[in-house]
Amino acid sequence: MPVDALIVGAGISGLKAATELCNRGISVAILEARATIGGRVRTHLPEDGGPPVELGAQVVHGDANPVWEVLGGRGPVSAYRRSAARAVVADRLVDMGALARGNPPWLLEARLLRPDAAGTGGTGSTGSTGSSVERWLDAAGIVQQERRIAEEWFRQNWAADPGLLEVRGLAAAARRAAQAGTDQFDVPGGMISIVERLAEGLEIRTGEPVAQLDFSPGRVTAHLVGGGTPVVARTALVTVPPSVVLTGGLRIPGLPPGKLAAARRLPLGDACCAVVTLSDPAPESVVVFDSDGRSGFARCVRDRPEVLLVGKASAAAGIRAGAAGPIGPMVARLFPWAAGSRIRGTEVADWGAEPWSAGGFTYPSVGGAGAPGRWAEPIADTLFFAGEATVGGPASVQGAMSSGAEAAGLMAKAVGR
């Protein structure tokens, strides 16, 4: 007998939707391709019981974030905020304050994210709501070294080259993020704690990738990669990234042309993260921005042996290459104190190479305005869509949760609950 609702993907959005549906007495089947749940959440838990290190979603944004309701209390202000800040510029390690003269990248980003920057008449405006960050930087007169640093700053914060990022989309994403309040926070026990809380009481089939979804009004059939009995449901929720559908990682025959066009406007930026455990602890807490484009952002915490590397866009390839070979030189370039340390272990989360994610998160692409909403639109009150791509970048836990809750409400209505 068909279940009422099939959830494809046990990330934050899928788990939130499943919880909402189960609370309404709706029968649910959850299929997750990976061997573990959580989607693009991956928490490294040190063997000695030290603080968790995040290789996926990094922090919770906002003191009013609905995530705190799930966890029953707010975590501490992120260690990022309590760290010294440095940058690599032309292979030299300098204090971040050295970038503050002229047009520092963080102030350029703040200017660009102002509501008037994406339209006409604003400071640095290009006069076109569909303009790219690259054109905005041209109009603002940012050149030479300031330009190179600013471009890398945008790559690492938004996961794509400035020529691909739309000013209007970035500003809209910033406004959505501001609704969750101020500051950034760590999660006690790691981001995986959010996943575990959402998954309480749910039956989840892991290691069950769906090869194809066939649908007609009121009926969906999920064919599994490994064969076996197909799963039949009255409705289904797709939470995998649109790019996975476009590349055939999940085939959905019969998707309308408009849906496919929206998917093409929702690309994921490349991302690769690594946590390197050294033989010696860090003498201080530091965050390093690599403006040379080799390793993104990196951090270490005082008295801890772990170094975290988080690379997006072209820097993801640098971390990927470093992790495949001797990664010690990359770490020592960012943290000179680590030059004499032995590497005791390395864990890599290569989101760009992982078939079920195909990237870090969806970035606001030029011409992509409206694509998240079109991707989220249900088909025949049968096929529903959720996940960070339906919200618009950058990815956030609260965005994934809200998309799952909204989809659950629509699915409940479709099955008469």
Side-chain angles (χ1 to χ4, degrees), residues 198 283 339 411:
L198 289 173
M411 295 172 77

Side-chain angles (χ1 to χ4, degrees), residues 1 14 59 69 71 82 92 103 109 121 123 171 207 226 240 242 244 264 271 322 324 339 352 382 384 393 410 414:
M1 182 174 179
V59 295
E69 298 175 10
L71 293 173
R82 305 190 299 271
R92 288 195 313 116
N103 291 289
E109 184 179 43
T123 301
V240 303
V244 174
R264 286 189 285 270
T382 301
F384 298 81
L410 296 174

Side-chain angles (χ1 to χ4, degrees), residues 31-231:
L31 301 178
E32 168 56 50
R34 301 176 180 89
T36 58
I37 64 174
R40 280 164 279 178
V41 170
R42 183 162 166 183
T43 301
H44 171 82
L45 299 173
E47 293 181 357
D48 64 359
V53 184
E54 304 296 347
L55 291 105
Q58 295 286 306
V59 295
V60 172
H61 297 270
D63 53 4
N65 198 304
V67 169
W68 303 128
E69 298 175 10
V70 175
L71 293 173
R74 195 178 72 197
V77 172
S78 173
Y80 283 104
R81 299 296 198 192
R82 305 190 299 271
S83 302
R86 301 198 177 105
V88 176
V89 182
D91 275 328
R92 288 195 313 116
L93 187 63
V94 301
D95 287 336
M96 191 72 83
L99 307 185
R101 295 184 293 272
N103 291 289
W106 55 89
L107 290 186
L108 285 172
E109 184 179 43
R111 280 173 55 190
L112 181 143
L113 295 178
R114 279 170 25 190
D116 64 353
T120 58
T123 301
S125 171
T126 63
S128 170
T129 56
S131 291
S132 68
V133 171
E134 182 178 60
R135 290 185 60 194
W136 188 92
L137 292 170
D138 288 340
I142 309 303
V143 296
Q144 298 180 346
Q145 182 169 276
E146 282 187 346
R147 177 63 171 256
R148 291 191 294 273
I149 293 172
E151 288 178 341
E152 189 60 23
W153 183 269
F154 280 101
R155 288 188 191 100
Q156 295 315 309
N157 282 303
W158 299 91
D161 287 335
L164 302 175
L165 295 168
E166 185 182 77
V167 172
R168 176 175 57 179
L170 266 63
R175 289 195 298 273
R176 285 192 296 271
Q179 295 173 2
T182 58
D183 225 324
Q184 299 175 354
F185 301 86
D186 292 326
V187 176
M191 300 290 280
I192 193 64
S193 299
I194 304 171
V195 174
E196 292 169 346
R197 187 64 62 87
L198 289 173
E200 288 179 357
L202 297 178
E203 294 185 9
I204 305 168
R205 293 169 56 178
T206 57
E208 293 276 18
V210 177
Q212 181 166 311
L213 284 179
D214 293 326
F215 69 95
S216 57
R219 184 180 177 88
V220 181
T221 303
H223 303 276
L224 306 181
V225 168
T229 305
V231 179

Side-chain angles (χ1 to χ4, degrees), residues 251-325:
R251 299 187 300 274
I252 311 179
L255 284 180
K259 182 72 74 174
L260 294 172
R264 286 189 285 270
R265 293 292 190 181
L266 295 168
L268 275 76
D270 195 8
C272 185
C273 304
V275 57
V276 182
T277 303
L278 303 172
S279 59
D280 300 306
E284 59 179 341
S285 296
V286 183
V287 173
V288 180
F289 163 55
D290 185 357
S291 75
D292 292 351
R294 298 186 197 174
S295 50
F297 281 99
R299 67 173 282 198
C300 64
V301 176
R302 182 178 177 178
D303 296 329
R304 293 300 308 167
E306 299 90 10
V307 167
L308 175 66
L309 307 172
V310 179
K312 306 182 190 77
S314 54
I319 294 176
R320 191 174 291 126

